[in-house]
Amino acid sequence: MPGSTDRFADDPAFAVHEGGKLSVRTKGAITSIEDLALTYTPGVARVSSAIAAEPELARRFTWAPRVVAVVSDGTAVLGLGDIGPAAALPVMEGKACLFREFADLDSVPIVLSTTDVDAIVDTVLAIAPSFGGINLEDISAPRCFEVEARLKERLSIPVMHDDQHGTAIVVLAALRNAAKVVGRPLSDLRVVVSGAGAAGVACTKILLEAGIGEIAVADSRGLLHAGREGLTETKQWLVEHTNPTGRTGTMVEALVGADVYLGLSGGSVPESAIAAMAPGCIVFSLANPTPEVDPEMAARYAAVVATGRSDLANQINNVLAFPGVFRGAIDAGATGITEGMKLAAATAIADVVGDDVRADYIVPSPLDRRVAEAVAAAVAAAARAEGVVRG
């Protein structure tokens, strides 16, 4: 339109996304009839015939084993919520960029125009032969639990909902090192988790696996405890496996004397609640872009503070986990991603920090190239040790 101006021209984020962030390029040039005949017909027919006779040859002669599908329905995107598949696509493209950059893996972003669990599961099952791993992304709870569980049951390739397990792995790594800073074992810590969604449930489960001392989970109605009615199957599981002392009431009330606050829910926590925590407490306030607890305020009371923000120390960022987890699982030929593999990943991330651990350095930088390599090696070793690899 004559005289119109581009309202996105001055924003560098839009410049990076112009035309999308991904492309597909061939590994070899096609400059002759011979190249064409080998790359496509008739040469490709010999390869296809061999695979038809011996399906396992697809792992050698196609790209599928080293390609990850990044699948979303756009219902829980970043802090934006249910924005739909088209608006979710730039995020999935970004995830694919991170797979390439940090794990040297190709990936394909796939957004689905359905929120029906059966349809999502059936679609992913139908396209699975094209991929070596399935990264589920930004699918809202509680549907995400069923989608992941059903796909893991049906597929013999790694499947992981990153919003759950990527977050949980990095949280555990960070908490291991934060516990070192305050000179206490995980088994001595009482944790209050704010949020019973995808990340809150996964973090709770991995902390239990790691031997945390005591943990209680709060949703928007308060602490989960025996006697609460109208709970989902997932929340009922939390009731049965957490809060051993039967605390009731609000999350703020539970913070009195607590050692760790783990925020995964948004909203805000008053200063009085943080002040009432135990001396030398640990505050992980991970809502993004606005943490539940103001970091400057938290630092007045807590020995260690972490957030999800890149402009602050101790960023809990999933990019520390998912590239190495999938790379390690794929390298090992793993048929799934086990709890042991996740625990190994968390230990590897924590160990990259090593003896340099301090209050403002409990996790590596997301740009630390050592992380994905260390995680991949640890995950692959765990997969082999557990025997969850192809023969």
Side-chain angles (χ1 to χ4, degrees):
M1 184 173 177
S4 65
T5 59
D6 184 352
R7 59 195 175 97
F8 305 116
D10 294 331
D11 188 332
F14 285 90
V16 168
H17 290 77
E18 186 87 41
K21 300 189 289 289
L22 301 170
S23 64
V24 176
R25 301 196 181 274
T26 61
K27 293 170 69 175
I30 302 175
T31 59
S32 67
I33 293 298
E34 182 181 15
D35 292 337
L36 181 61
L38 292 173
T39 302
Y40 197 52
T41 185
V44 71
R46 299 198 297 275
V47 179
S48 293
S49 296
I51 294 171
E54 299 178 56
E56 273 300 305
L57 289 176
R59 296 190 57 77
R60 178 179 176 187
F61 293 110
T62 73
W63 80 332
R66 301 193 69 75
V67 182
V68 178
V70 181
V71 181
S72 179
D73 65 357
T75 54
V77 181
L78 303 176
L80 305 175
D82 185 354
I83 59 175
L89 187 54
V91 181
M92 304 312 124
E93 288 186 13
K95 196 68 175 281
C97 291
L98 298 179
F99 269 117
R100 164 51 57 192
E101 185 69 21
F102 294 104
D104 197 28
L105 291 174
D106 290 311
S107 57
V108 178
I110 298 170
V111 292
L112 305 177
S113 60
T114 179
T115 61
D116 179 74
V117 169
D118 290 338
I120 293 171
V121 170
D122 289 344
T123 300
V124 175
L125 290 174
I127 65 174
S130 295
F131 300 98
I134 306 294
N135 181 110
L136 301 171
E137 192 77 17
D138 294 344
I139 299 172
S140 62
R143 296 175 309 114
C144 61
F145 304 122
E146 183 179 355
V147 169
E148 183 189 47
R150 288 170 60 179
L151 289 174
K152 288 174 68 174
E153 183 180 345
R154 298 280 299 278
L155 294 174
S156 59
I157 58 175
V159 176
M160 186 173 85
H161 183 209
D162 185 51
D163 304 280
Q164 294 183 61
H165 308 296
T167 301
I169 288 166
V170 183
V171 163
L172 174 57
L175 190 56
R176 283 192 187 282
N177 280 339
K180 289 181 181 178
V181 171
V182 299
R184 297 174 65 184
L186 290 179
S187 60
D188 192 39
L189 299 176
R190 180 166 76 84
V191 180
V192 176
V193 179
S194 176
V201 172
C203 287
T204 300
K205 288 184 175 181
I206 202 170
L207 291 177
L208 289 170
E209 288 279 347
I212 201 70
E214 181 184 333
I215 190 166
V217 182
D219 63 6
S220 59
R221 294 172 51 202
L223 289 177
L224 298 177
H225 60 86
R228 275 273 303 264
E229 297 180 350
L231 297 177
T232 64
E233 181 179 341
T234 300
K235 289 184 179 180
Q236 185 60 43
W237 187 95
L238 291 173
V239 166
E240 294 168 3
H241 293 84
T242 66
N243 196 6
T245 58
R247 296 175 187 273
T248 61
T250 67
M251 182 271 296
V252 167
E253 291 169 338
L255 283 176
V256 176
D259 302 301
V260 181
Y261 166 79
L262 175 54
L264 297 155
S265 61
S268 61
V269 178
E271 181 171 354
S272 58
I274 304 302
M277 293 179 67
C281 63
I282 298 165
V283 171
F284 286 6
S285 185
L286 305 186
N288 218 349
T290 305
E292 300 93 338
V293 180
D294 177 77
E296 290 188 13
M297 177 270 284
R300 292 199 288 270
Y301 306 98
V304 181
V305 177
T307 72
R309 289 176 43 164
S310 59
D311 58 337
L312 298 171
N314 297 331
Q315 184 193 15
I316 308 300
N317 191 320
N318 289 18
V319 76
L320 292 168
F322 71 82
V325 169
F326 274 95
R327 176 61 187 265
I330 287 171
D331 282 351
T335 56
I337 296 173
T338 67
E339 292 305 311
M341 292 160 72
K342 297 171 200 171
L343 291 170
T347 299
I349 294 168
D351 287 349
V352 169
V353 173
D355 293 338
D356 294 326
V357 66
R358 57 182 186 272
D360 63 351
Y361 183 50
I362 58 171
V363 286
S365 162
L367 299 179
D368 190 328
R369 300 293 170 155
R370 299 173 297 169
V371 176
E373 291 184 7
V375 171
V379 167
R384 295 185 185 105
E386 294 183 35
V388 290
V389 298
R390 289 179 176 81

